[in-house]
Structures are given as C-alpha cells and as structure tokens.
Amino acid sequence: MVNTNRMAEIGLLIGEPARAAMLGALMDGRALTAGELAGVAGVAPQTASGHLARLAEANLLAVERQGRHRYHRLASPEVAELIESVMRIAAVTLPDPTRMPVTGPRDAQMRLARTCYDHLAGGLGVAVTDALVARGVIAFDDGAGIVTPNGMERLAALGIAVDAPTTRVTRPLCRPCLDWSERRPHLAGRLGAAVCSHFIEQHWVTRVAGSRALHVTPKGQQALRERFGIAGIG
Amino acid sequence: MVNTNRMAEIGLLIGEPARAAMLGALMDGRALTAGELAGVAGVAPQTASGHLARLAEANLLAVERQGRHRYHRLASPEVAELIESVMRIAAVTLPDPTRMPVTGPRDAQMRLARTCYDHLAGGLGVAVTDALVARGVIAFDDGAGIVTPNGMERLAALGIAVDAPTTRVTRPLCRPCLDWSERRPHLAGRLGAAVCSHFIEQHWVTRVAGSRALHVTPKGQQALRERFGIAGIG
DNA sequence: GCGACGCTACGGCGCGGGCCGAAGCATCGG
DNA sequence: CCGATGCTTCGGCCCGCGCCGTAGCGTCGC
C-alpha cells in the first residue's frame, strides 16, 4: 500500500501559495535561481530558501549550484505531470466562478503560445499538433497518441530527430497533454520535447523573459505557413 | 494564467493525512459513507465530516445522500488521475528509504490484484494487459495506447462492450496507467473500465471487503487460463 | 412516538508552520 | 583585501487549522 502520509507530504508541499507559484514557474522546464523564484512567489529570499530546501529534500526539485547561484528545476517529467494534473483540476473545478483568473495582455500571450514543461502548448501547440495529425505523422486515438509507421521519416525530413530511448524506464514518445487554456490535447512526451527544441533552435520561437510565454518570430511565422500550413499565430 | 492560489488549495486538500487516506480509499471508484471514511482515516466522525465538506466544496468529491447515509466518491476521472500522479511520486521519490511501507499479507494481496479507480491493476492488471497486447487487441507504443483496427471485434467476441463516447470531452478509450507496485503500464481509460466491469460481472473476481484488493475466483482462474493464457494469479 | 444511529455545527485547545529581521557563509569583482 | 551579492541559518511572532467534546438535526426501526 502506498503510504498515505507520504501522499500528504507531497500535497502539503504543493499546498502553499508560495511553493505552488514556484512549481508553476518551473513548469517551463528551465532552471531558475533561488532569487528569481523568491520574486515569482512574492516572498523574501530567506522564506524562499526554506521552501526550496523542503522541495529539494522531497526530491520534487533538482538543485545545481553554479558559482554563487543555485539553479532549481523540476526533478523529473513525472513531477511535471503531477503539477500539470493539479493545474488541470485547478482550471476545471472552480467552485466559485467569480474567482476566475484575470485576463490581461500577458495572459493573452500565454494562451497564444507557451511552453508546457518541455513541449509546445497554447494555440501554437494545438495548431502544430493538428498539423502533424493532418499530415499523418502522428495519430491521436481518443486520447492516446502514436507515431504512424512512416511518421518518423517525415519528421526526419522536417529536421526533427528524436533521441534514442533512454536507458531508464522509457518515457512516452508521443503523449497527449490536455492543457487548461485550449482544453484540447497537444503533443507531449519525447517527441513533443524534440519538436519544441527544434522550434527554439531554428529561432522560430523565442522565450519571453520571465514567463513561460513564447514569441513567434517572423521566420517562425514563415516556417509555420510553409511547412505546417498554419497562419495567424503570432 | 492558472491561479496558483487555486493550485495551492488543491494541494492543501491532499496535504493532510486524514484527507489523503480518504482520497486513497476512494481510488477504487466506489462511493463510501462518511463513517467508513472516518474509519479509514482514523479520525472521529465530526472531524471526517469537516474534511469531506471541504473536499466536496472544492469539487474533488461528489456526494449523494441515501437515507441517513451520505455516499462520497471521487468527482471525476480527472481527480483520480491527480491522486494517481501523487501516488506515483510518493512511491518513487522516497527521500528516506527506511520509511518504505510495511509489507504484509494484505499488501501482498493488493499487489496481486486490485482495482485502480475503475480498472484492473496489480499483477492481474498487467497480465491481462499483456495478454490483450499479445492477442493484437491493443498496442502500447512507448507509453501511449491504441486499440488495433480489429481490436474492438475481438473484444466483442470476448463479450466486452465499450460504452459509446460520452457527450462530454471524450475520456481516453485506451490509456496506459503506470502504477506503483508493478512499475509497468496496465490498461486504463474507458476500455480498462469495461474490462474491469466484465470481470466483476462474470464473477471472475470479487471485491475484498474494505479494501481495493480483488480476489480471483476459481471460475476466474479458469477464464484467465482459457481465454487469456494466464496462469498463477490467485 | 421513542430510542438508536449517521451525520453536522460550534467552541476551545494546542501545535505546526509561514513569515520576516538579523546575522552568518560562500562567491564574485575590483 | 574589501565590499557587494546570492543564499542560508536562527529566532521569535502569530495565524491557520486539525482535533475532539458537546450539542443539534434528520432518518430509520419498532
């Protein structure tokens, strides 16, 4: 039997506004310093330090020191999936509709294009996913995803290479990820990460400082039109 | 942007031993009374009542009154997935290995066969899943699952019918579920639920009172051998 | 109607933990 | 070497909340 006390510990770690904000900020998959995380959480550095120590001690975060900075990132894709589950519930089961989050320009940009741990999400993520489905690269069978027999070749033709399976328990190659803004599945898993990396390497998108939002460059808009038949993003 | 405060609320609800125990107990998909849940959590009825009210108010639980009893169940499959995510992290990232759960006879039975929300898990769940893969009914492509083109016919031949897609956002038909004891994926989703229902209706398995564990009947052992080529379970 | 039972509402106790100020350690720049 | 910066440790304040005792409300059996 899974220890329910251990479950409660996990919940308690998420169940504090400052820590929840930190975990949410780390959902872009990058590593942030303790100071930056203190900023997003809106607490003093000492407070943040304590929170981060607890999160790291529980193996939810991985810490790496570089000079006088300490970089923190989510310990594993499994932790990202956990946070994602929480976000999905948080977005859907609002007991009081009046508490809906405020929508501003930053919110709009997030909805248009952003990262979700290590893959594309928002309008861009869904559009790219739809395009890959339409082109017969991947298929979503009612909530589960697969790569079609010759899908890998077509991906290679697009210049997208997927890492060989890691030695550990294999992480899903092609996983659907239902996110809060679009309420529709988009491409996640190892393939989703590869696509996202490719978009960034080609400078089709750039990260917006201090946010999970992505900016689609003119070069990216051109690539989206010509290679994926997508217009009107960015 | 997803409200991080709302995220913290969700975490806080899980982050209390009594509530975590209740949510864990409800992972078998059945509805339990407030009194039963108080027993599971090891707290007085008044305390349990307060917890359940909070969980219901946050839409994590659905409540149904029947006479002088109040039956509580997880509000949705999404909530079950959330709890499952927490369990997965709880089982994997033990900071202190000495805190591993005690293994007893009850634990052994749980590992052999149990329900996971609404589908089969444990050794039985994995064995049945493997058998369905070997018979070409379903396929798991590196973590994502699909039903093969003629898989539905073969399922119908086995007497297993899957409900027509619900009107709401479709729940995955064939989803892999990685659980804590086997560390291997087993069949979940609507199809997993249909398989589990079929096993129970045919009296191949029976629920063990007060537990998520399942008992495999002699009739069930025969069916497993003849129809799925599975031996040595139960 | 009456008692038993399941559950809920209220009040008060006590503990855990979040918060920041002050101080202490490392690291970098000059 | 010295100051600035990033981060952590310690200590004390205080709020939140989990807990149960008591009491109240609805439902069932007789």
Side-chain angles (χ1 to χ4, degrees):
Chain A
M1 187 61 185
V2 167
N3 199 340
T4 54
N5 283 341
R6 174 74 183 142
M7 280 180 61
E9 285 178 36
I10 309 279
L12 206 57
L13 288 170
I14 305 173
E16 205 279 332
R19 287 194 293 262
M22 291 174 174
L23 290 168
L26 291 171
M27 274 299 284
D28 66 355
R30 284 182 297 179
L32 301 180
T33 68
E36 291 170 325
L37 289 168
V40 295
V43 293
Q46 325 89 288
T47 305
S49 177
H51 287 313
L52 292 170
R54 289 184 60 179
L55 290 168
E57 204 262 345
N59 285 117
L60 293 191
L61 297 186
V63 189
E64 217 165 328
R65 39 184 320 162
Q66 229 171 74
R68 54 181 164 180
H69 296 278
R70 291 183 76 124
Y71 284 91
H72 302 258
R73 60 180 169 78
L74 298 187
S76 68
E78 284 78 15
V79 175
E81 274 186 57
L82 168 63
I83 305 301
E84 167 103 9
S85 289
V86 178
M87 282 181 163
R88 185 149 48 236
I89 299 285
V92 170
T93 63
L94 283 174
D96 180 1
T98 62
R99 270 194 287 169
M100 273 299 284
V102 283
T103 53
R106 277 193 56 169
D107 194 70
Q109 190 167 32
M110 286 278 284
R111 287 175 189 275
L112 194 63
R114 66 176 182 279
T115 54
C116 173
Y117 187 54
D118 60 3
H119 55 270
L120 301 174
L124 176 63
V126 170
V128 170
T129 301
D130 288 348
L132 290 175
V133 170
R135 276 159 178 67
V137 174
I138 59 175
F140 279 167
D141 173 29
D142 208 358
I146 56 162
V147 179
T148 61
N150 50 3
M152 292 303 262
E153 301 165 16
R154 303 191 194 189
L155 282 171
L158 282 169
I160 298 174
V162 182
D163 301 345
T166 55
T167 57
R168 286 196 329 112
V169 178
T170 57
R171 183 182 165 205
L173 175 64
C174 174
R175 182 175 71 83
C177 173
L178 184 66
D179 81 287
W180 51 269
S181 69
E182 296 292 323
R183 303 280 176 90
R184 288 185 53 201
H186 57 253
L187 178 62
R190 297 211 316 277
L191 181 53
V195 169
C196 182
S197 300
H198 189 252
F199 270 56
I200 292 176
E201 280 168 17
Q202 298 293 317
H203 294 99
W204 291 350
V205 295
T206 55
R207 292 184 185 276
V208 175
S211 161
R212 290 166 54 197
L214 292 172
H215 169 70
V216 181
T217 65
K219 186 182 169 189
Q221 293 181 38
Q222 185 187 344
L224 283 174
R225 254 197 321 275
E226 296 175 358
R227 308 194 183 206
F228 296 92
I230 299 170
I233 299 271
Chain B
M1 187 63 184
V2 168
N3 199 342
T4 55
N5 282 340
R6 173 76 182 141
M7 281 180 60
E9 287 178 36
I10 310 278
L12 206 57
L13 288 170
I14 304 173
E16 204 280 331
R19 286 193 293 261
M22 291 173 175
L23 291 168
L26 292 170
M27 274 299 284
D28 66 355
R30 283 181 297 178
L32 301 179
T33 67
E36 289 170 327
L37 289 167
V40 173
V43 293
Q46 324 88 293
T47 306
S49 177
H51 287 314
L52 292 169
R54 288 183 61 177
L55 290 169
E57 203 263 345
N59 283 118
L60 293 191
L61 295 186
V63 189
E64 217 166 328
R65 40 185 322 163
Q66 229 171 71
R68 53 182 165 181
H69 296 280
R70 291 183 75 125
Y71 283 91
H72 302 259
R73 59 180 171 77
L74 299 187
S76 69
E78 285 78 15
V79 175
E81 274 187 57
L82 167 64
I83 305 300
E84 167 104 7
S85 288
V86 178
M87 282 182 163
R88 186 150 47 236
I89 300 283
V92 170
T93 62
L94 282 173
D96 180 0
T98 63
R99 270 194 288 169
M100 272 300 282
V102 286
T103 53
R106 277 194 56 170
D107 196 68
Q109 190 167 34
M110 287 278 283
R111 285 174 191 276
L112 193 64
R114 66 174 181 279
T115 53
C116 173
Y117 188 54
D118 59 4
H119 54 272
L120 302 174
L124 175 64
V126 171
V128 170
T129 302
D130 288 348
L132 290 175
V133 170
R135 277 159 178 66
V137 175
I138 58 175
F140 278 168
D141 175 29
D142 209 357
I146 56 160
V147 179
T148 60
N150 49 3
M152 292 303 262
E153 300 165 16
R154 303 189 195 191
L155 282 171
L158 282 169
I160 297 173
V162 182
D163 302 343
T166 54
T167 56
R168 286 197 328 114
V169 178
T170 57
R171 182 183 167 204
L173 176 64
C174 173
R175 181 176 72 84
C177 173
L178 185 67
D179 81 288
W180 52 268
S181 69
E182 297 292 323
R183 301 281 175 92
R184 287 183 54 200
H186 57 254
L187 178 62
R190 296 211 316 278
L191 180 53
V195 169
C196 182
S197 300
H198 189 252
F199 271 56
I200 293 177
E201 280 168 16
Q202 299 293 316
H203 294 99
W204 292 350
V205 295
T206 54
R207 294 184 184 275
V208 175
S211 162
R212 289 167 52 198
L214 291 173
H215 169 69
V216 181
T217 64
K219 186 181 170 190
Q221 293 181 39
Q222 184 186 345
L224 285 173
R225 256 196 321 276
E226 295 175 357
R227 308 195 182 205
F228 297 93
I230 299 170
I233 299 269

